[in-house]
Every structure is written in structure tokens, then in C-alpha cells.
Amino acid sequence: MNKRILALDIGRKKIGVAVTDPLCITAGPVGYIDASNTKKAIEEIGELIRSYDSDHVVIGFPVNMDGTIGPRAERCREIGNEIAATFGVKVTEYDERLSTREAERLLIDAGMSRAKRKENNDKIAAAIILQNYLASAVI
């Protein structure tokens, strides 16, 4: 059996988390981690890696619309490098352009209130990133 894959949508305030099913076919939202303390957030990510028996983390990589890498992407890369070094897992950067907007649109279409959308947007974006990765990757 494959090990599950985790996905992270790293924002300024929250890190959305998603995980695959045990067969690595579909992605589902798990929740979010407070991103205000990077060290504590990485510890929590480690707990998720262990609890889901994961050896692969996909990180949403916020490439600018013109294809350049800005400060947000650099922060994601630094966090990804720390996760890989600390927990010995494979880390893949996946272009996440527009995933947050796609999550917002899905939640609006579902009739979710603004407050509920704000609460759920990051984890839905992580699931979208992971599902898109699964659809495009040979694992």
C-alpha cells in the first residue's frame, strides 16, 4: 500500500492541510495550522506526517502570474526545505496559482457564508492543490 501524501497551502496566517486517501487516488481537506509561529507549525506538520504515515509532502508554490518567484514562494521553499531536512520526507513544490480563488468560488457556489468561507478556504485550497498534483503526476 502507498503511503499517504500530505499537501500544504502555506499562507501568512494559516497553513491549509489536505491528505490523500490510503490509495493516493483522492485528496481531502484535513484542517489548518496556525502559521504565526513557523517553528511550532513545522512541529505540527511533523505530527501530521507521523499520524498519516506520510513520506511525501506537496507544498503549494505561489508562483507569480508572470512565472517569477516572489517572497511568498521563497518562504514556502524555505519551509519545504526545513520539512524535508527535519522529517526525511520528499517535498514537492506544486504551482498553486489561483487555487485559493478556486476554493473561494467552490465555497460560494456551495452557498457558504463569508465567515464559513474564511474558516474553510485554506484547507479546501490545499485539497485542490493535492488533487491537481495527483491528476498531473506519476507517483
Side-chain angles (χ1 to χ4, degrees):
M1 185 183 305
N2 293 335
K3 290 184 176 251
R4 291 179 172 204
I5 303 171
L6 284 176
L8 305 174
D9 179 35
I10 300 171
R12 290 179 197 94
K13 296 179 182 178
K14 293 191 284 187
I15 299 172
V17 181
V19 66
T20 61
D21 65 289
L23 298 175
C24 294
I25 296 170
T26 61
V30 170
Y32 68 88
I33 295 170
D34 182 347
S36 62
N37 180 329
T38 303
K39 183 178 181 341
K40 187 172 186 291
I42 289 173
E43 289 172 5
E44 289 183 43
I45 291 165
E47 291 172 18
L48 289 169
I49 288 168
R50 286 185 288 281
S51 70
Y52 285 105
D53 192 28
S54 178
D55 63 355
H56 188 179
V57 177
V58 174
I59 293 184
F61 197 62
V63 179
N64 294 325
M65 292 308 286
D66 65 1
T68 60
I69 296 172
R72 286 188 57 232
E74 287 298 335
R75 178 173 180 258
C76 291
R77 179 168 282 159
E78 289 169 8
I79 291 171
N81 289 341
E82 190 163 345
I83 290 167
T86 303
F87 305 111
V89 296
K90 176 181 176 181
V91 173
T92 302
E93 296 170 348
Y94 187 79
D95 185 348
E96 62 134 310
R97 282 182 270 195
L98 305 179
S99 64
T100 301
R101 285 196 183 120
E102 185 178 345
E104 179 82 8
R105 190 181 72 249
L106 287 171
L107 296 172
I108 289 170
D109 290 348
M112 197 171 281
S113 70
R114 183 181 302 270
K116 286 284 190 185
R117 288 194 312 262
K118 189 173 183 177
E119 180 182 320
N120 290 288
N121 202 38
D122 296 301
K123 66 183 178 183
I124 299 299
I128 289 169
I129 291 164
L130 186 51
Q131 194 64 52
N132 289 341
Y133 171 78
L134 291 171
S136 69
V138 177
I139 300 173

